[in-house]
Amino acid sequence: MAKSADKKSPASGSDNRAAPRKRGGNGVTDFLGASEPLHRPGFGEAPQAELSGAPLSGSISDWAEEIAREAEKPQPKAKKIPEKSSAPTRSARGTSMGGAASAKDRAAAGLNPVAGLDISLEDAASLSNSGVTATVAALSALIESGNPLHKNGEIWVPHRPARPEKSEGGIQIVMQSEFEPAGDQPTAIKDLVEGVNSTERTQVLLGVTGSGKTFTMAKVIEETQRPALILAPNKTLAAQLYSEFKKFFPDNAVEYFVSYYDYFQPEAYVPRTDTYIEKESTINEQIDRMRHSATRSLLERDDVIIVASVSCIYGIGSVETYTAMTFQMAVGDRLDQRQLLADLVAQQYKRQDINFVRGSFRVRGDTIEIFPAHLEDSAWRISLFGDEIDSITEFDPLTGQKTGDLKSVKIYANSHYVTPRPTLNQAIKSIKEELQHRLQELEKAGRLLEAQRLEQRTRFDLEMLEATGSCAGIENYSRYLTGRRPGDPPPTLFEYIPDNALVFIDESHVTVPQIGGMYRGDFRRKATLAEYGFRLPSCMDNRPLRFEEWDAMRPLSVAVSATPGNWEMEEAGGVFAEQVIRPTGLIDPPVEVRPAKTQVDDVVGEIRETTKAGYRTLVTVLTKRMAEDLTEYLHEHGVRVRYMHSDIDTLERIEILRDLRLGAFDVLVGINLLREGLDIPECGFVAILDADKEGFLRSETSLIQTIGRAARNVDGKVILYADQITGSMERAMAETSRRREKQMLWNEANGITPESVKSRISDILESVYEKDHVRADISQFTDNAGAMMGNNLKAHLDALEKQMRNAATDLDFEKAARIRDEIKRLREMELAISDDPMAKYADMESPASGREKGKHNKGVAKHRTVEEQERFRKLDEARAAEEAAKAARPNLFRKPDLDKMGADGTVPAGKSLFAKPHIDDMGPGTDMTTPAGAVSRSLFKKQSAAEAHGSDYGVPEDGNSLFKKNSLDEMTVRRTEKPVEGVKPVKRAKIGAGSYEDPAEAARAKKKPGKSGRPGK
């Protein structure tokens, strides 16, 4: 932030108070000199402009004459606003389409040079560089500058904090595997180890899927004895790698560091619609524990292997504050129990006497039980004898059973953002200083709403920090909590990594662009929040690393990919270690080019041949619409098909891949999801439609990755449908042919034939070399998840029947009954699919909502299937026919009248002997007889009901009332106005909804169900 001008206080002869002290510099860099706290009891008025004109002097009686003389003087002419012109004018956003001369017109067209300020472009040039606008401009210039590492007038140097002495160091990294390097692996391992020993900063491992890249990385880590960080492009692949490294290194610290959010909606503001979106998130406790375990292992051990996603470039607490908030206890130490409890609270541990969970503690007399943040199923019991630690034991928090004795323990904080109290006090003072300067800037600019909003929100956070040491959104104050300078990146996992570590960038052609793309979107969102007073400008320093900063911070790196990108190859000088030969004998598929004019009909023929051989088919297209249309076309031709693209939920995609492997359908149509990380051993044919449409989806990298999906099948093949061979196609086919020739030569030299590969495909798919990728798990359906090559639903049913008999033989009747029910369900589905490929889904789901039966109201007509609707129609017709027949039959009995139902059932002949009395004849005194022809002697005339309840002002001669009777709609609370003709009244959808329906609820109710991948849905 730039320096803001100090306000001038008007001079007063009678006021002898000292003027307020002026501070030089700004509140961001000079906060150390700030000694007085900021006391602003509430939101005050904007500063008033000083009086101008001739000063009034003399007696008060002469002031009127002076004012009159001043008014007679010629006034300066008002600035003339030019008329609109058709010529284009220059604005802050470029060139406008026509002249918007006035500030009002510019604001209406969105052409104000500064958002929210009603000033011209010329006036904006004279403004001082203050407020968040200057910060946004400076950071925008930083993005576009040639050297992004040039910060604050000097070259930025990565921060390498001092680390404490490791309490569990010196453990050797030992890999445990019964496999030995084979194929290209020995050469690749040797080249990479030599590169690490010669401190080559960037190396490239070009390894095809299935060549054992994970095995090679593990061998390099063991050879070099260095801690390692493996970067994966997504959580799914990270989980796969974590599982494999845990098996390779069971005695070492293999940790998992990914984003701990199950759901995350970032804080944002949309100025166009004045919509503020509050931060909303759901934290996964298990992943949070693994993150704490990862940072602790990095600080305590040498044999650390971290598997992380790209989220590791986002900010966490600094190493200095995180290590400063740890303390160690050993048996025999003397301590104050009350002080220990206070220290645990300062570390963000919560006291829980009943609900003893991770990150909490409880006190029982002289015994303190602590559940550390990094442990999952172990807790520590500290037993005191007076003020001396008598024993430290480890126990199971669920059962309470003791699992071991400990000599000493080190307790780490329950949050990465925990801060020591002195640092927190200094940060609070700095935040107040920045808040004061920012409020002055907003008030000076007349942006009072933003000023009030910022003051209210920031003061609430400050109160929470002072009281509890934490607040919601504490990461937005990371600049002050970590003592960084403006523009410096926040502390990340890369500051925890030792200097001698290795970084393996898995699938680098995807991971490296991800790192480069994280910063810009986050910057624009934070800049808008700061611009409109939701956050202080310093919040923009809570951000992910820029690509240049990550490049400067990373230690020795190895980029691992089947198709390395340009950046990796340039960093490595074009030199790479190649790993093309698969030790299992699998080879890349043959590639064929066919014309695109008849591609759809040709694909249908190839699909039928592939399905007849018992294999599956993958088809890639260019657009979502094309995927859905092609799925519909194939379905009409009797092909069992589904599609998969980005509109389908992640969990639904896993189900689709599992169904494809099990044989529920034969063809999967996709766009960009059938690439790296996806493995389907049953795939025997890959069709790439419109392969000559040059672009991202048909680039060399995309084509090679898609071709590799058929490399798991000995009989696999790939067809590119194109009218011309593009450069990307030519390079992709040449690379595939080169790899295929090299693999075939290796197989001939080692006596491996395609038939032998096919016979041992089950062992191949379960080998360590095939663990580089993610495969849809079907182990719960089959004994061997990799033994589905060429199998179909019938073979799966046979295997289930065998399991059912074995379970019955073992007297496990519950398991046998479950398998029996599953067999019955699958057989019914198979019979339905044999006639109609979509009968499975028509029988299992509602045609209206798409939800599964049993999860909605089946009684509602719109949720019924076609068969149910027909059955209900027949029932309704039968019921109606029965009612009509009953009405047509004559009744033999007559229903008697009320007067004819006497006690004895007799009916007098002719007229009744008793007359029905009038209402006036019933009441007290009406039992006396009245002579015939007597005249009433009452002085009062009996009124009718209309006269009794009518108007007090009389009734017009025509008899019509002067007042209209209200209808039912008009006799409701707050609805006495007459409804407008032609407008339907608001329907009350639920009790208590009132006459106003939430637009969001209405839109959500109208929202169509999500994509399912099925034809027509």
Side-chain angles (χ1 to χ4, degrees), residues 293-333:
S293 179
T295 52
R296 177 191 173 277
S297 297
L298 283 170
L299 298 174
E300 294 293 332
R301 304 182 63 165
D302 294 321
D303 58 329
V304 181
I305 299 170
I306 308 287
V307 179
S309 65
V310 184
S311 63
C312 67
I313 68 172
Y314 280 80
I316 57 175
S318 67
V319 177
E320 295 91 342
T321 58
Y322 188 65
T323 55
M325 291 299 284
T326 63
F327 59 88
Q328 191 166 0
M329 295 183 295
V331 176
D333 287 351

Side-chain angles (χ1 to χ4, degrees), residues 899 912-923 926-927 942:
D899 294 332
S912 174
L913 298 177
F914 300 94
K916 187 175 182 181
H918 192 266
I919 190 170
D920 292 332
D921 298 331
M922 294 187 293
T926 58
D927 55 346
K942 184 179 179 181

Side-chain angles (χ1 to χ4, degrees), residues 42 46 76 422 426 521 616 784 796 826 968 1000:
Q426 185 63 49
R616 319 286 184 262
N784 193 341
H796 176 51
L826 290 176
L968 185 62

Side-chain angles (χ1 to χ4, degrees), residues 136-148 519-520 524 546:
V136 174
L139 290 178
S140 298
L142 186 66
I143 291 178
E144 299 168 359
S145 63
N147 186 4
Y519 172 74
R520 293 173 184 264
R524 179 44 54 193
R546 300 193 59 208

Side-chain angles (χ1 to χ4, degrees), residues 277-490:
I277 303 171
E278 193 171 2
K279 177 183 175 181
E280 186 179 356
S281 62
T282 304
I283 294 178
N284 188 310
E285 286 292 327
Q286 179 70 4
I287 297 180
D288 185 38
R289 181 198 67 80
M290 300 174 83
R291 285 167 63 96
H292 281 284
S293 179
T295 52
R296 177 191 173 277
S297 297
L298 283 170
L299 298 174
E300 294 293 332
R301 304 182 63 165
D302 294 321
D303 58 329
V304 181
I305 299 170
I306 308 287
V307 179
S309 65
V310 184
S311 63
C312 67
I313 68 172
Y314 280 80
I316 57 175
S318 67
V319 177
E320 295 91 342
T321 58
Y322 188 65
T323 55
M325 291 299 284
T326 63
F327 59 88
Q328 191 166 0
M329 295 183 295
V331 176
D333 287 351
R334 305 180 71 87
L335 52 83
D336 183 8
Q337 184 189 24
R338 306 299 298 176
Q339 185 60 42
L340 174 60
L341 301 183
D343 291 342
L344 289 173
V345 172
Q347 286 185 315
Q348 302 295 323
Y349 281 86
K350 297 180 181 178
R351 183 167 181 170
Q352 301 271 14
D353 291 333
I354 298 176
N355 185 26
F356 191 51
V357 295
R358 187 183 65 85
S360 63
F361 69 95
R362 61 188 177 192
V363 184
R364 295 176 174 176
D366 286 342
T367 301
I368 302 172
E369 295 179 349
I370 306 171
F371 203 146
H374 65 279
L375 294 181
E376 181 180 11
D377 52 6
S378 299
W380 298 333
R381 180 179 293 123
I382 315 297
S383 300
L384 300 176
F385 184 76
D387 59 353
E388 181 180 349
I389 298 178
D390 186 48
S391 64
I392 302 175
T393 57
E394 186 180 60
F395 69 97
D396 190 326
L398 180 63
T399 63
Q401 184 177 0
K402 177 181 174 182
T403 56
D405 292 314
L406 303 174
K407 292 183 178 180
S408 66
V409 292
K410 181 179 283 188
I411 301 177
Y412 279 82
N414 191 35
S415 170
H416 285 111
Y417 292 100
V418 69
T419 308
R421 178 51 66 174
T423 306
L424 193 62
N425 292 338
Q426 185 63 49
I428 291 173
K429 185 163 49 172
S430 305
I431 294 169
K432 289 181 177 179
E433 192 73 18
E434 184 189 7
L435 175 63
Q436 183 183 27
H437 284 274
R438 179 67 180 140
L439 290 177
Q440 290 177 0
E441 293 159 2
L442 291 174
E443 292 170 3
K444 183 178 179 181
R447 305 179 67 177
L448 304 183
L449 176 63
E450 287 83 353
Q452 184 182 18
R453 178 189 293 149
L454 179 65
E455 184 176 24
Q456 182 181 14
R457 292 170 60 88
T458 308
R459 288 197 178 282
F460 177 78
D461 289 346
L462 289 173
E463 291 173 2
M464 292 295 295
L465 286 172
E466 290 174 345
T468 66
S470 180
C471 70
I474 189 175
E475 63 274 5
N476 290 291
Y477 305 108
S478 61
R479 177 200 290 180
Y480 302 116
L481 295 174
T482 58
R484 302 296 169 99
R485 296 181 300 175
D488 283 357

Side-chain angles (χ1 to χ4, degrees), residues 550-569:
W550 170 82
D551 188 25
M553 293 188 70
R554 65 181 175 89
L556 301 184
S557 306
V558 178
V560 182
S561 174
T563 54
N566 294 332
W567 179 84
E568 303 95 286
M569 297 303 294

